[in-house]
């Protein structure tokens, strides 16, 4: 059966990867991208799908009930996949209000419109899938077991709190009004099309530009790295096979300290310059262009306020119920990601925002190592 998926936040990092993934695997389905195109949204990430007529792009706000209701009715949507959000923790420290508006109030608007359209008996073919984060669970000590679906919510940043509030609304609309939802809480994604404010793409473009690699605090914070394609595969399994009303955690099985991630990136890029000498001409400011190591750019800076020490995800429920585990090792995923940024310089040059870089510099500054 052919379906229509409305994908909010489709021009962002994970949303764009999801649209490419879905179009390749389900060519008979229709994709409607619903995105406000904020600083983080980039229509260029969807260009191939737009050019091939595989996707319709609507520029609109998830907080605009009329626009969302019209999009739902015009396209007779079966499944809504909600990626749209303000997603960067550092920005939530600067401007928490934007996170409450989009992540909490925006999600509420989506739920209310869906409830009105689908009613209490939406039928088996309707689904609202909400994409959330492991950050809702707060932080772990070094020996704590990973977050499971029954771990209590304890968000620490305004971003995490806004995502937690949205998750609660999704569950409540399911229980109270019968909105047919599924929910996923995943760990740190990486891969193509990620905006260069998040750790991995930021470090790649900074190495290539010869700029410092800012390590917050001591760099020993741990994240569980999930390649975005593995995340898309997990969402596909949940959408197509999970029971309505269930939540799944999605992890990458790759717990690493931030400093380990940065050092692995440095080594990867140094090796690429050795095997491809033309990179030295394309990126003359990179240390490797002068035969120096990229790690010379590492700088320890002031820590992020409220910085969570460790995230780790227990993905056993997803594996047991739906047979999904991560395919990518971190090494393979990182190599693929570095290559993508080397091959797509025009994409990342176009999305860089100088004013935000200035704010980050003022916020964190540089500390002695
Ligand atoms: P992103 O910041 O790259 O993209 C967000 C997208 O949402 C952008 O295209 C933006 O234009 C759009 N958007 C923002 N406000 C909007 C609004 N009011 N109306 C319509 N569109 C709007 O984010 P991402 O990294 O792709 O994350 C996608 C989702 O996954 C988010 O909900 C995020 O909380 C969640 N998540 C992300 C990660 C990660 O590591 N990136 C991990 C766990 C969960
Ligand atoms: O865990 C899932 C979350 O992962 C998602 O919900 C968020 O949307 C996503 O942004 C990400 O949050 P993090 O805060 O973990 O990601 P970020 O890339 O900002 O930072 C990763 C780690 O690296 C974190 O411990 C902070 C640190 N860091 C980050 C930046 C940008 C640095 O040390 N230096 C940096 O310059």
């Amino acid at each position: 059966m052919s379906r229509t998926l409305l994908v909010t936040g489709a021009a962002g990092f994970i949303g764009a990867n999801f649209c490419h993934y879905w179009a390749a695997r389900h060519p008979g389905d229709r994709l409607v991208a619903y995105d406000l195109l904020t600083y983080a949204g980039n229509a260029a990430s969807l260009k191939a799908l737009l050019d091939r007529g595989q996707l319709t792009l609507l520029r609109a706000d998830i907080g605009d009930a009329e626009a969302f209701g019209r999009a739902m009715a015009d396209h007779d949507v079966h499944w809504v996949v909600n990626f749209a959000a303000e997603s960067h923790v550092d920005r939530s420290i600067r401007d928490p209000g934007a996170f409450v508006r989009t992540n909490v109030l925006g999600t509420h608007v989506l739920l209310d419109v869906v409830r009105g359209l689908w009613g209490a008996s939406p039928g088996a073919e309707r689904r609202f899938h909400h994409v959330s984060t492991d950050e809702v669970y707060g932080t772990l000590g070094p020996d704590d077991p990973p977050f499971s679906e029954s771990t209590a919510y304890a968000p620490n940043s305004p971003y995490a709190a806004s995502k937690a509030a949205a998750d609660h609304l999704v569950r409540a609309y399911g229980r109270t009004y019968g909105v047919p939802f599924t929910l996923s809480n995943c760990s740190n994604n990486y891969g193509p099309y990620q905006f260069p404010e998040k750790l991995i793409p930021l470090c790649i473009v900074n190495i290539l530009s010869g700029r410092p690699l800012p390590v917050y605090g001591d760099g020993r914070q741990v994240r569980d790295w999930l390649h975005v394609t593995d995340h898309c595969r997990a969402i596909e399994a949940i959408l197509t096979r999970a029971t309505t009303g269930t939540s799944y955690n999605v992890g990458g099985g790759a717990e690493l300290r931030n400093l380990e991630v940065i050092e692995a990136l440095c080594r990867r890029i140094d090796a690429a310059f050795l095997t491809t000498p033309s990179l030295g001409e394309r990126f003359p400011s990179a240390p490797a262009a002068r035969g120096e190591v990229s790690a010379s750019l590492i700088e320890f800076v002031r820590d992020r306020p409220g910085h969570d020490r460790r995230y780790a995800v227990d993905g056993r429920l997803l594996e047991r119920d739906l047979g999904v585990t991560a395919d990518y090792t971190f090494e393979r995923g990182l190599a693929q990601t570095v290559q993508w940024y080397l091959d797509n310089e025009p994409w990342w040059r176009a999305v860089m925002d100088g004013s935000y870089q200035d704010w980050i510099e003022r916020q964190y500054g540089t500390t002695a190592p």
Side-chain angles (χ1 to χ4, degrees):
M1 173 196 141
S2 140
R3 294 154 297 213
T4 301
L5 279 72
L6 184 145
V7 182
T8 73
F13 162 47
I14 308 175
N17 278 282
F18 178 79
C19 289
H20 287 285
Y21 178 92
W22 199 272
R25 308 241 325 165
H26 305 274
D29 287 352
R30 290 173 295 276
L31 288 169
V32 179
Y34 186 100
D35 197 299
L36 189 55
L37 299 179
T38 67
Y39 81 94
N42 192 340
S45 305
L46 300 170
K47 186 172 180 311
L49 298 175
L50 287 163
D51 289 349
R52 292 199 292 267
Q54 286 180 292
L55 173 141
T56 305
L57 175 61
L58 306 175
R59 182 174 196 180
D61 191 335
I62 60 166
D64 182 341
E66 204 189 312
F68 179 63
R70 209 171 35 244
M72 290 289 290
D74 286 353
H75 296 276
D76 188 20
V77 172
H78 298 97
W79 292 347
V80 176
V81 188
N82 182 29
F83 291 99
E86 290 292 339
S87 70
H88 191 36
V89 173
D90 292 321
R91 287 183 191 260
S92 83
I93 294 167
R94 180 173 64 160
D95 180 14
F99 286 68
V100 174
R101 272 192 300 281
T102 292
N103 301 0
V104 186
L105 302 178
T107 302
H108 175 248
V109 166
L110 300 182
L111 289 165
D112 234 24
V113 170
V114 158
R115 170 195 165 205
L117 283 173
W118 292 349
S121 312
E125 74 279 13
R126 309 285 175 185
R127 178 69 67 85
F128 183 92
H129 182 75
H130 181 68
V131 179
S132 188
T133 170
D134 60 356
E135 297 203 16
V136 297
Y137 299 119
T139 188
L140 292 169
D143 301 319
D144 288 340
F147 301 129
S148 78
E149 288 77 3
S150 56
T151 303
Y153 277 29
N156 289 318
S157 70
Y159 162 71
S162 70
K163 293 295 292 184
D167 290 9
H168 290 317
L169 283 168
V170 171
R171 282 168 211 276
Y173 268 66
R175 290 296 288 255
T176 307
Y177 305 116
V179 168
F181 78 91
T182 41
L183 204 156
S184 51
N185 295 82
C186 70
S187 58
N188 286 62
N189 283 221
Y190 68 102
Y193 300 114
Q194 188 169 28
F195 190 83
E197 63 183 354
K198 308 284 166 63
L199 182 68
I200 287 181
L202 175 88
C203 288
I204 295 173
V205 306
N206 279 12
I207 291 170
L208 297 176
S209 314
R211 283 200 301 263
L213 307 179
V215 179
Y216 297 171
D218 62 7
R220 296 164 73 87
Q221 305 84 0
V222 173
R223 296 293 182 265
D224 175 355
W225 294 95
L226 169 67
H227 191 276
V228 67
T229 304
D230 282 332
H231 184 195
C232 293
R233 212 158 41 78
I235 295 175
E236 176 190 43
I238 295 168
L239 270 172
T240 54
R241 290 188 277 124
T243 309
T244 295
T246 46
S247 294
Y248 286 99
N249 285 353
V250 188
E255 271 192 69
L256 290 164
R257 291 184 181 139
N258 292 339
L259 207 46
E260 290 175 311
V261 170
I262 295 171
E263 285 167 355
L265 258 178
C266 289
R267 285 194 300 273
R268 185 82 227 164
I269 292 180
D270 292 348
F273 273 68
L274 277 178
T275 52
T276 313
S278 59
L279 288 176
E281 286 149 39
R282 282 178 56 202
F283 303 106
S285 304
R290 304 183 294 277
E292 292 169 18
V293 292
S294 301
S296 59
L297 296 172
I298 290 175
E299 279 186 15
F300 288 84
V301 302
R302 198 148 61 83
D303 208 354
R304 173 187 278 175
H307 199 170
D308 286 333
R309 196 70 181 161
R310 173 176 168 237
Y311 304 143
V313 167
D314 178 346
R316 280 179 299 179
L317 189 67
L318 185 69
E319 182 176 7
R320 196 196 66 199
D321 285 3
L322 305 175
V324 177
T325 52
D327 262 358
Y328 275 83
T329 60
F330 185 69
E331 292 68 27
R332 181 162 77 93
L334 195 69
Q336 184 252 23
T337 304
V338 166
Q339 195 56 49
W340 189 87
Y341 280 85
L342 290 173
D343 293 342
N344 290 276
E345 185 184 355
W347 182 91
W348 52 264
R349 289 233 184 263
V351 302
M352 306 292 284
D353 170 358
S355 62
Y356 177 69
Q357 295 305 330
D358 293 345
W359 176 77
I360 278 286
E361 181 59 32
R362 286 199 305 279
Q363 166 80 1
Y364 293 110
T366 304
T367 58

